[in-house]
Amino acid sequence: MTTKKNTRNVHGRAPARIDDAPSRRGAALRTPYHALGADQEMRVPVWAQHRSVYRTAGRTIYLVETDRLADARGDLATLDRAGWDVRIAEGTDGDPTRIALTRREFARAA
């Protein structure tokens, strides 16, 4: 006779389902704007004047245009520390600065 044992992890909770894994749950919510916010809340900075999202096979690129690059520097450093690849193309002759953001692990693979 086989009995089914109720499995618990070290914290006394039932094991999480595969779709509850932090990597998948976090991946769904992880945008640069979530990385700038607190407690999984989004924060869209004032300097991000025009925002676009481009998705390709396995990669998402966030393109932000601003004419306030000096205001963006602190947030861009935060994003860099949070694992974002930050690429800046400074505008000339009144054109806005373009900032491309993608998750660093995907930037290396491309």
Side-chain angles (χ1 to χ4, degrees):
M1 171 188 247
T2 306
T3 59
K4 187 174 180 183
K5 204 173 185 183
N6 191 3
T7 337
R8 299 270 177 208
N9 65 16
V10 293
H11 301 289
R13 294 185 298 256
R17 297 179 319 194
I18 291 174
D19 60 341
D20 285 344
S23 60
R24 288 199 56 193
R25 192 173 55 236
L29 296 176
R30 297 311 300 173
T31 68
Y33 311 111
H34 284 96
L36 292 173
D39 298 325
Q40 298 295 325
E41 294 294 320
M42 281 182 40
R43 181 176 72 83
V44 178
V46 175
W47 57 261
Q49 295 156 324
H50 185 269
R51 298 173 288 130
S52 302
V53 179
Y54 298 93
R55 289 183 174 86
T56 61
R59 184 175 176 192
T60 302
I61 300 170
Y62 297 85
L63 182 62
V64 182
E65 292 182 349
T66 186
D67 58 7
R68 300 169 63 180
L69 183 59
D71 295 342
R73 293 278 183 201
D75 287 337
L76 296 176
T78 298
L79 291 171
D80 181 61
R81 286 189 304 272
W84 289 90
D85 182 56
V86 178
R87 299 193 184 206
I88 301 170
E90 293 193 38
T92 57
D93 298 327
D95 290 333
T97 295
R98 299 178 74 174
I99 304 165
L101 306 164
T102 191
R103 292 296 299 175
R104 192 168 288 127
E105 62 268 19
F106 298 125
R108 279 190 219 129

